[in-house]
Amino acid sequence: MKDIKIVLVEDDEILSKVIKEELEESGFKVYLAMDGEKGLATATDKKPNLVLLDLMLPKMHGFEVLENLKKSPETDKIPVMILTMLGSDDDIKKGLLLGANDYIVKSQHAVGEIVDKVKEFFNEESNPVGKTSKKETKKEVVEEIKEEKKVVKKKKK
Amino acid sequence: MFAMVIIITFMGVLATYSVFLYSKNVISQNEKDSLTTIVSEQTQQVYLLLEQSTELSKIISQQDFIVNYLNNEEKEKQDIDVLNKFESYNINNTYSSIYLLNPDGTTLVSTDESFVSKNYSFRDYFKKAIAGENYTDISIGVTSKELGYYFSTPVKDDNRIIGVLVLKMRPDTINELIVNPYLEINREKIGLLTMIDNYGVIFHSNDETKLFKSVTQLDPTILSEIKEKNKFADYEITTLNYDIRFEEIDSEKEIFSTEVKDKSSQDKFILNIVKINKYPFRVMLVESESKIIAEAVSISYTLGLFVLLAVIITLIIVNFLIIHFTKPIYKLSKDLEIIESGNLDYKVGTKAKDEIGQLSRTFDRMISAVKKSRVEIDRKVKEQTSEITEKQKNLENQQIAMLNILEDVQEEKDLKEIETKKIATIIESIGDGVFVIDNNHNIIVFNQTASKISGFSEKEALGKNYKKILKFIFEKDGKINDKFIKDAIRLGSVQEMTNHTLIVKKDGTKIPVADSSSPIKDADGNVIGCVVVFRDVTKEREVDQLKSDFVSIASHQLRTPLTGIRWVSERLLKNSKTLPKKEREYVDDINLSTKKLSRLVDDLLNVSRIEGGNISIKPQEINLNEFINSYIEETRPLITKKNIDFTFKNELKKQEVYTDPSALRNIIQSLVSNAIEYTPQNGKVFISLEKSKTKGNFLIKIKDTGIGIPPKNQATIFEKFTRGDNAQQMKTDGTGFGLFITKQTVEMLKGEIRFESILDKGTTFYVTLPIKSETKAGEKSFV
């Protein structure tokens, strides 16, 4: 666990502080970036195992950061989780289409839940975990969008 | 008048003269004719006698004894027999002698001895007879020295002429015929009545002086001829000296008249000559023209005089009449002229008893009547004039009144005009587009703003069907969206334009518009047109967009610190072992407040989205069972905490519905959490899915044994900012938006929500939702 590097791109001081602390307490190594530009640079630099990406960022919007990450071969394989304040379908869909692996709605979850999700993510990577009913619907959406992505990719080709 | 006298006189004279002439002619002609007739008659008589004689001669000549005698050579003895025979005929009264001539012309036998042995071969009567012809001759006898008629007949013996028989007649018989008693009477008129021979010598005449005169001038050769024939012995044949030639009188005509003039005296005579058939004699009547005319004239004169007299008398009468009648009439007319000139008092009448007098008296009466009537007329005129003056006054008054009324009317009109102008100005200046259509959908009012928004000028728009000018379409599909206009007319009530209506401008660009249509009704309530008000809502939309963007951003911004507070509080609580109890309580309170605030922000965001009309419905296939169960699991902690007896019953056969998941989640969450939170400890909550009574829908029933909704709150419980009065005691962080949002959501899915509630007993919510929801476009989804 201690090897896992996470880049956290979040502009709110307090929120970023709390998430960082929680994650570090869970044993993750966290690099913090407070704006999009810095986030991109840090991710490119540190090549983390996960990027937690807020959308509303100064200097560069989260989507733009995501695009850039996915563009560059150095960073395109890094998994990204979008942190959004609103559970807007459009934002989520867009994010997932751009290449994010998952999304978390900050306002709906306690910080602990977020940490759990991250843990889950890494556990899933190594061992596929049974789905929980809570996340089912969301998972379905994710699957759907992944399908769409493939279709879109095929179309683009 | 004078002219008439002249005329009458003239005509009278003319009449007289004509009468005179006419009568003269008639009379003289008459006279001539009668004389001619007479002569003819007499001639006839003469002829008969001559015929008779000729016949006698013929008969005698044919006697056998004569033939025998003549054939017999010995004549002496038989002379006496023949003579006796001749004498036995006893014709001495009429005939003077009978004698027989031998072919030489010598008298063989004769009753007159003097003739015997005398030769008369020189005589025409012998010459003719010996040639075989009966002949009558007139001459003075050589022997007898008297005038006589000789009727000779050839004696034939088998066509051989052997002698001539002669019958001599005295002229007296014929004389008597010529001059008979009848003629005696008319002697005066007759003039000369004669017999003439074939030379025109007179051998009979009623005037002896004229005997042996020839009618015409005879040639000396003829005179010597006559002399030779010894017809008239020694008489000298002189002429009557008429200016006529023998050829002219030697006519074959039986009767013929001719006018002659005496060469010496120049007197006019009329010769009437009548031929005696076969005989070389003619009867001649000579009339004196002058005598006849004189007689006629005298008669005519008398006649003429009578006529003239008549004329004169007439003239006198006429004159009398003229004097008697025309003068007074003339005077009358002169009098009338005086009256005519205006003097109605002048009297015309006379005392005369005749017609004129009557007439003039009548005139007078008439004049006085006229005068009277004039007076009457004057009076009437005065009356009428005063009436008219009065009427005129009335009319004037009326006119004034009319003018006043007209002024008032005009004022009203002006006011109306001002009003109309005002209204027109108002309409023009209304910031919204206004147009009015009639029942035929033709534009009759079209204000400036309407023109601005649509791009069509007022001129282009007026009178045309509105569909050509104002094209309202659905934003989504571009289809015509003018139902609101049609409904206004059809239903007679105000209709609102649906959202997302665009108008296509003249140049083709599309502008979002909003507002409403209202029917125009007449006094009887019939729809006669429609007023449509619309406005360009592009700005509004922009504002809305800004608003929702703002709300979005604001809520987003609000959430960040709220989340921060929550998370920090969480961490505090995590490390609660180190925190004193009181501090821990405070942190809990912070958490609670934060949660409430959070929820409030969420609700506000939802409300703003709902009200913005911008929320999308994106139906998906959802398994109801799974959906609800999943939610139940999420709420499990709270259910356990409050020890709620929670049941979920699914009566639906088919689980799949096609609806928007976030909307459904919202509804379920809101109602179920309410049910749990407002039910006290150990209460019951019961969800069931059932078949709806209405086709195509399904029913969600959520029942609790909670505190219920107070009756006075039930009417308004679905409104914003409303909570039941008793709600506070169970849930402290209710926002007052929950049911509002739920209801809006249900209605957005085209469903229905209602409830039944009894205070302190419980509440049951019934939500009917379509099994298949329609997609709704929108930019946002539920929070």
Side-chain angles (χ1 to χ4, degrees):
Chain A
M1 286 268 187
K2 283 183 185 158
D3 301 332
I4 298 173
K5 282 187 268 185
I6 300 176
V7 167
L8 171 65
V9 190
E10 166 64 60
D11 67 329
D12 187 77
E13 241 186 86
I14 298 169
L15 293 183
S16 58
K17 184 167 132 194
V18 172
I19 296 172
K20 184 164 181 242
E21 281 179 12
E22 288 275 334
L23 283 172
E24 282 177 341
E25 280 176 15
S26 297
F28 298 102
K29 179 79 178 132
V30 181
Y31 299 96
L32 183 61
M34 306 260 330
D35 66 61
E37 265 182 23
K38 206 163 167 226
L40 181 62
T42 315
T44 315
D45 178 33
K46 300 290 180 198
K47 296 202 179 31
N49 303 82
L50 178 67
V51 173
L52 290 173
L53 180 60
D54 185 21
L55 288 178
M56 288 289 166
L57 294 166
K59 295 197 184 155
M60 194 190 283
H61 191 273
F63 286 135
E64 216 184 313
V65 174
L66 179 55
E67 272 178 326
N68 287 326
L69 284 173
K70 292 301 168 187
K71 261 192 232 174
S72 164
E74 289 181 2
T75 52
D76 67 348
K77 294 213 173 49
I78 305 172
V80 177
M81 267 200 207
I82 293 173
L83 297 174
T84 155
M85 194 53 71
L86 307 164
S88 163
D89 271 358
D90 299 332
D91 282 343
I92 297 165
K93 268 197 177 164
K94 190 168 177 185
L96 291 169
L97 270 167
L98 287 170
N101 292 60
D102 206 344
Y103 68 92
I104 300 166
V105 181
K106 286 181 281 185
S107 49
Q108 283 178 2
H109 301 292
V111 63
E113 289 169 12
I114 295 172
V115 173
D116 287 340
K117 194 155 187 157
V118 168
K119 284 185 189 167
E120 244 181 73
F121 176 74
F122 284 111
N123 285 343
E124 270 178 26
E125 284 213 319
S126 38
N127 347 310
V129 178
K131 296 176 191 169
T132 59
S133 61
K134 187 180 171 185
K135 291 164 190 150
E136 231 171 48
T137 329
K138 288 184 187 171
K139 271 262 191 283
E140 280 173 16
V141 174
V142 170
E143 291 307 317
E144 230 181 76
I145 290 169
K146 281 188 178 164
E147 288 299 314
E148 278 179 46
K149 250 195 336 188
K150 285 178 190 167
V151 169
V152 166
K153 273 196 181 151
K154 277 181 188 165
K155 277 190 187 163
K156 278 185 184 167
K157 283 177 188 168
Chain B
M1 228 23 66
F2 192 59
M4 206 158 94
V5 172
I6 303 259
I7 288 167
I8 290 176
T9 314
F10 175 71
M11 285 180 69
V13 166
L14 200 64
T16 312
Y17 188 62
S18 328
V19 164
F20 169 75
L21 274 179
Y22 181 70
S23 63
K24 177 182 103 174
N25 283 342
V26 166
I27 292 169
S28 55
Q29 190 62 39
N30 239 11
E31 207 54 54
K32 290 181 199 167
D33 288 341
S34 67
L35 289 174
T36 315
T37 314
I38 291 163
V39 164
S40 296
E41 276 179 20
Q42 294 314 112
T43 312
Q44 195 64 17
Q45 304 262 15
V46 169
Y47 172 69
L48 283 172
L49 189 58
L50 291 173
E51 277 292 283
Q52 208 176 318
S53 309
T54 312
E55 200 54 40
L56 188 59
S57 173
K58 222 192 217 174
I59 291 166
I60 298 171
S61 71
Q62 283 164 358
Q63 297 298 315
D64 292 331
F65 71 90
I66 293 180
V67 174
N68 292 338
Y69 171 72
L70 286 169
N71 280 333
N72 200 344
E73 291 286 323
E74 281 189 14
K75 293 194 178 63
E76 258 189 48
K77 203 182 176 182
Q78 284 163 351
D79 291 353
I80 300 166
D81 290 329
V82 174
L83 189 67
N84 285 341
K85 281 271 175 35
F86 284 165
E87 281 182 349
S88 71
Y89 291 131
N90 206 8
I91 49 169
N92 287 351
N93 301 337
T94 316
Y95 302 99
S96 58
S97 57
I98 309 173
Y99 52 100
L100 189 65
L101 300 178
N102 66 4
D104 297 321
T106 311
T107 312
L108 297 172
V109 182
S110 171
T111 53
D112 188 338
E113 281 177 353
S114 59
F115 295 166
V116 177
S117 306
K118 294 239 165 71
N119 190 292
Y120 296 106
S121 59
F122 63 90
R123 291 279 194 218
D124 277 337
Y125 63 78
F126 172 76
K127 283 184 187 166
K128 294 279 185 192
I130 208 67
E133 207 181 296
N134 294 3
Y135 194 71
T136 309
D137 200 0
I138 183 109
S139 64
I140 295 175
V142 183
T143 320
S144 60
K145 305 271 193 265
E146 356 175 277
L147 188 72
Y149 289 89
Y150 298 91
F151 298 90
S152 63
T153 315
V155 179
K156 292 186 187 168
D157 179 26
D158 294 328
N159 292 336
R160 193 168 51 103
I161 297 167
I162 52 177
V164 175
L165 185 79
V166 185
L167 188 62
K168 185 175 173 183
M169 190 176 80
R170 293 196 186 92
D172 308 333
T173 340
I174 291 183
N175 242 0
E176 274 166 22
L177 283 174
I178 301 292
V179 185
N180 73 9
Y182 172 73
L183 294 172
E184 283 280 338
I185 296 166
N186 293 313
R187 195 175 251 256
E188 289 297 317
K189 295 189 213 147
I190 293 295
L192 189 63
L193 186 60
T194 68
M195 273 195 68
I196 56 170
D197 71 354
N198 47 349
Y199 293 111
V201 179
I202 297 169
F203 56 86
H204 272 318
S205 176
N206 57 345
D207 183 357
E208 284 184 3
T209 58
K210 300 287 192 268
L211 272 173
F212 308 120
K213 289 212 180 335
S214 71
V215 176
T216 63
Q217 188 76 28
L218 289 173
D219 279 349
T221 40
I222 295 175
L223 281 170
S224 53
E225 213 178 288
I226 295 169
K227 259 279 185 305
E228 263 180 43
K229 288 190 181 164
N230 211 3
K231 285 181 86 173
F232 299 108
D234 297 319
Y235 281 100
E236 195 70 38
I237 311 288
T238 55
T239 177
L240 286 176
N241 213 12
Y242 293 139
D243 65 343
I244 189 169
R245 289 170 311 159
F246 178 70
E247 295 81 23
E248 288 171 69
I249 65 168
D250 191 19
S251 166
E252 283 303 310
K253 278 199 214 156
E254 226 181 279
I255 306 170
F256 115 93
S257 300
T258 181
E259 267 187 26
V260 297
K261 216 188 317 185
D262 189 320
K263 284 191 212 165
S264 48
S265 66
Q266 299 295 318
D267 289 332
K268 287 208 183 125
F269 296 97
I270 299 177
L271 262 58
N272 294 304
I273 300 174
V274 186
K275 197 163 176 284
I276 302 174
N277 203 13
K278 290 189 311 188
Y279 296 94
F281 317 124
R282 293 192 173 94
V283 176
M284 188 176 82
L285 177 64
V286 182
E287 300 161 312
S288 165
E289 176 109 13
S290 11
K291 244 174 138 196
I292 291 170
I293 286 180
E295 203 166 311
V297 164
S298 67
I299 295 172
S300 303
Y301 263 139
T302 322
L303 210 58
L305 265 146
F306 267 114
V307 172
L308 195 64
L309 196 66
V311 167
I312 287 166
I313 291 172
T314 311
L315 271 173
I316 291 168
I317 292 172
V318 165
N319 204 26
F320 173 70
L321 284 173
I322 285 169
I323 290 168
H324 188 72
F325 283 113
T326 45
K327 243 203 187 141
I329 286 174
Y330 184 69
K331 179 180 176 284
L332 188 62
S333 79
K334 275 268 175 293
D335 287 341
L336 288 176
E337 267 175 36
I338 294 172
I339 293 170
E340 198 184 9
S341 69
N343 182 359
L344 285 181
D345 294 318
Y346 186 85
K347 286 279 179 248
V348 159
T350 64
K351 288 218 174 84
K353 285 202 183 144
D354 64 355
E355 290 84 358
I356 297 287
Q358 270 181 25
L359 185 63
S360 50
R361 282 191 294 280
T362 313
F363 262 117
D364 276 336
R365 282 198 294 278
M366 192 184 74
I367 300 298
S368 69
V370 165
K371 212 169 97 184
K372 258 194 232 154
S373 73
R374 247 233 212 150
V375 168
E376 187 62 25
I377 286 169
D378 279 339
R379 189 183 62 80
K380 276 222 173 114
V381 164
K382 265 201 200 114
E383 251 183 56
Q384 295 279 3
T385 315
S386 68
E387 261 186 51
I388 286 171
T389 321
E390 235 191 82
K391 280 205 175 136
Q392 213 179 353
K393 262 206 203 114
N394 283 345
L395 258 168
E396 270 177 28
N397 288 341
Q398 272 186 25
Q399 236 185 340
I400 292 170
M402 279 286 285
L403 279 170
N404 286 340
I405 293 173
L406 278 172
E407 263 178 37
D408 289 342
V409 168
Q410 188 61 33
E411 247 186 65
E412 240 192 72
K413 252 178 87 173
D414 287 339
L415 279 171
K416 279 236 168 90
E417 252 189 61
I418 292 170
E419 275 296 316
T420 316
K421 274 206 180 116
K422 238 203 250 165
I423 292 172
T425 318
I426 291 172
I427 292 182
E428 278 306 302
S429 56
I430 287 179
D432 288 355
V434 177
F435 72 92
V436 179
I437 56 172
D438 60 15
N439 268 341
N440 297 321
H441 295 180
N442 293 327
I443 298 174
I444 53 179
V445 173
F446 194 77
N447 82 341
Q448 221 180 0
T449 317
S451 168
K452 238 203 292 179
I453 295 177
S454 69
F456 289 97
S457 70
E458 193 180 354
K459 238 199 245 176
E460 286 170 317
L462 283 178
K464 303 228 176 60
N465 189 305
Y466 78 89
K467 289 188 191 148
K468 293 197 179 126
I469 305 292
L470 298 149
K471 298 168 193 139
F472 295 101
I473 59 170
F474 279 110
E475 188 170 17
K476 215 179 359 170
D477 52 13
K479 287 194 189 156
I480 304 283
N481 177 19
D482 59 0
K483 189 159 177 284
F484 69 107
I485 296 174
K486 288 187 187 154
D487 280 353
I489 292 179
R490 188 170 60 89
L491 303 172
S493 58
V494 177
Q495 304 290 324
E496 264 188 42
M497 207 184 286
T498 49
N499 272 332
H500 304 292
T501 307
L502 305 178
I503 199 172
V504 183
K505 285 179 80 158
K506 186 178 179 184
D507 61 4
T509 55
K510 298 174 186 156
I511 293 184
V513 290
D515 246 314
S516 63
S517 58
S518 170
I520 300 175
K521 295 183 185 170
D522 63 9
D524 301 321
N526 300 315
V527 176
I528 56 171
C530 181
V531 142
V532 178
V533 182
F534 64 101
R535 63 181 193 281
D536 182 348
V537 296
T538 331
K539 282 265 162 59
E540 273 180 39
R541 279 205 185 179
E542 282 170 27
V543 166
D544 272 343
Q545 188 63 35
L546 284 172
K547 255 199 325 192
S548 67
D549 285 346
F550 168 78
V551 168
S552 231
I553 294 165
S555 60
H556 184 271
Q557 301 296 66
L558 283 169
R559 279 179 195 221
T560 310
L562 280 172
T563 313
I565 298 170
R566 252 177 77 195
W567 285 0
V568 171
S569 311
E570 260 184 59
R571 281 182 66 70
L572 267 175
L573 285 176
K574 212 174 168 187
N575 301 332
S576 60
K577 293 164 190 157
T578 53
L579 214 60
K581 195 178 179 188
K582 215 28 179 282
E583 280 68 21
R584 223 181 341 147
E585 261 182 49
Y586 289 148
V587 172
D588 271 334
D589 291 341
I590 291 170
N591 250 353
L592 268 172
S593 285
T594 316
K595 274 199 191 136
K596 198 171 173 179
L597 190 55
S598 241
R599 257 208 285 279
L600 190 61
V601 168
D602 282 349
D603 279 349
L604 283 172
L605 185 58
N606 268 335
V607 166
S608 102
R609 280 192 182 171
I610 286 166
E611 294 205 314
N614 227 350
I615 297 187
S616 64
I617 305 286
K618 292 180 186 162
Q620 297 169 11
E621 281 276 330
I622 293 174
N623 185 306
L624 281 172
N625 234 355
E626 286 178 19
F627 193 87
I628 294 179
N629 276 322
S630 137
Y631 176 73
I632 293 170
E633 282 316 305
E634 275 181 36
T635 330
R636 190 55 70 185
L638 187 55
I639 294 169
T640 318
K641 187 175 172 193
K642 285 182 93 172
N643 197 24
I644 298 291
D645 176 8
F646 196 94
T647 8
F648 169 45
K649 189 166 152 199
N650 190 341
E651 286 176 17
L652 292 176
K653 291 197 182 129
K654 203 172 166 198
Q655 298 305 310
E656 272 65 36
V657 295
Y658 186 71
T659 193
D660 184 304
S662 42
L664 185 60
R665 185 189 163 79
N666 228 305
I667 296 165
I668 302 283
Q669 181 185 1
S670 166
L671 293 173
V672 170
S673 70
N674 273 1
I676 296 170
E677 284 175 20
Y678 289 106
T679 303
Q681 207 79 3
N682 309 319
K684 287 192 185 132
V685 172
F686 174 68
I687 307 177
S688 72
L689 294 174
E690 294 170 23
K691 236 164 111 177
S692 165
K693 287 181 192 138
T694 52
K695 194 181 169 187
N697 299 329
F698 66 98
L699 179 69
I700 308 170
K701 197 158 119 187
I702 299 163
K703 189 174 166 160
D704 67 45
T705 56
I707 56 171
I709 302 169
K712 72 169 169 195
N713 301 126
Q714 288 188 7
T716 57
I717 202 67
F718 285 116
E719 288 176 23
K720 282 182 278 189
F721 306 112
T722 48
R723 298 182 73 198
D725 290 342
N726 56 354
Q728 191 64 24
Q729 65 192 95
M730 295 302 300
K731 176 184 164 105
T732 54
D733 59 352
T735 55
F737 287 106
L739 283 176
F740 170 79
I741 294 170
T742 310
K743 183 160 186 263
Q744 295 300 311
T745 313
V746 166
E747 285 174 2
M748 236 180 271
L749 289 177
K750 305 270 196 298
E752 279 175 12
I753 180 169
R754 65 177 184 89
F755 65 88
E756 286 160 5
S757 184
I758 302 172
L759 201 60
D760 296 326
K761 279 275 165 71
T763 313
T764 313
F765 271 89
Y766 302 90
V767 177
T768 313
L769 289 174
I771 296 174
K772 203 165 179 187
S773 293
E774 287 172 14
T775 312
K776 183 172 169 295
E779 286 164 15
K780 310 275 181 216
S781 54
F782 284 97
V783 175

